[in-house]
Amino acid sequence: MKKIIVTGGAGYIGSHTVVELYKSGFTPIIIDNLCNSSIKNIEGISKVLRQEIKWHNVDCTNQKSIDLVFEKEKNIEGVIHFAAYKSVEESVKEPQKYHENNIGSLEVILESMRKNNVKNIIFSSSCTVYGSPDILPVTEDTPFKKAESPYGETKQLCEKLLEKDSCNSISLRYFNPIGSHSSSLIGDCSTDKPTNLVPILTEVAIGKREQITVFGYDYNTPDGSCIRDYIHVVDLANSHVKALNYLIENSGKHAFNVGTGIGISVLEAIQSFEQANNLKINYKVGERRDGDIEQIFSDGTQIKEKLNWEANQTLKQAMIDAWNWEKTK
Ligand code: NAD
Ligand code: WQD
């Protein structure tokens, strides 16, 4: 059983990935200080797997503590580095906090990897590295534009850091992860107030919010609202297992888009949520949100060809799972 360190393994995407790693025969070891998650996800992972997963409650920016984890665990095959702050809005207000945690944690992890001769790392990147793309769908060769936010800038800088390092790396550029594990035992436990579309939809459905505003109606898209590529978080989690297997066999530097390849508008997403869950969402159409990109969706050719990965789950299933998580969390 190959040991894999999963930083941020108590988080939304991390917890789902820990489950899929274990199911695929890896031994995941979580490092997470719960700064943006909850013990509930650690407990949820154990319930889903009927198996305790090792967890170190350690800050990834603390070199000494991370070194100790690597020394204690020994024979680590690779690292999946999720730990980071992820709120675009907060990053605009507190850029320093984002630089320190997001870049700082990667520097610390790379240093511990060097000291302990661990070669392989999968990094949580984001389609935000592309900024506002000129050509759609976006391929991995699309050049990075000026980042739309300090958060986006940290992802670009982390990818550059990986390029310069001696490690083998894969940057997975996630599009818009949504949904939850079908058990509803793990999910998004962020302490932040949600700003993403689907968590806001579920809050409206359950009555925590009165309504949702569709940000913009006059974009150059078929229905005037923005277009994104929404991917089920379990599909996304599985891409990490494929990436890890690939990296173990193929050293060097790689980057892959992880999306469905399908562009969905905000109005279509609302309609899909309503139909999947047989309920009505109170929404109004309003002004554009600052910094929003008109449309972005993935070209999935590379990841299909090289990792043999593609999304399996439907948008409808993701909307059902998102709603179930809201009702039980
Ligand atoms: P999340 O906040 O749910 O998970 C991140 C986890 O990392 C949390 O459990 C948090 O407690 C932990 N963490 C943060 N800083 C830490 C530190 N210094 N030491 C130890 N633990 C720390 O976020 P998520 O949605 O699961 O995102 C995971 C990764 O994927 C992040 O790097 C994020 O930037 C990236 N990403 C997310 C999305 C998205 O829409 N959710 C899209 C693209 C990329
Ligand atoms: C989706 C669409 C909004 C809320 C962000 C980050 C990106 C990545 C994913 C991490 C947009 C619209 C939303 C609302 C709305 N994260 N919307 N009303 O903006 O694509 O990306 O999360 O890397 O970096 O920027 O995701 O879920 O916020 O928005 O109309 O109340 O829903 O305008 O078109 P986004 P989102």
Side-chain angles (χ1 to χ4, degrees), residues 129-135 138-146 156 173:
V129 294
Y130 299 120
S132 181
D134 296 324
I135 300 170
V138 257
T139 68
E140 288 79 356
D141 300 327
T142 304
F144 292 2
K145 280 199 180 160
K146 189 181 160 2
Q156 293 181 338
R173 297 175 185 154

Side-chain angles (χ1 to χ4, degrees), residues 35-36 85-87 90 98 189-195 203:
C35 62
N36 192 35
Y85 294 139
K86 66 167 175 180
S87 163
E90 188 186 48
Y98 275 68
C189 294
S190 303
T191 47
D192 315 330
K193 204 169 150 31
T195 55
E203 287 201 350

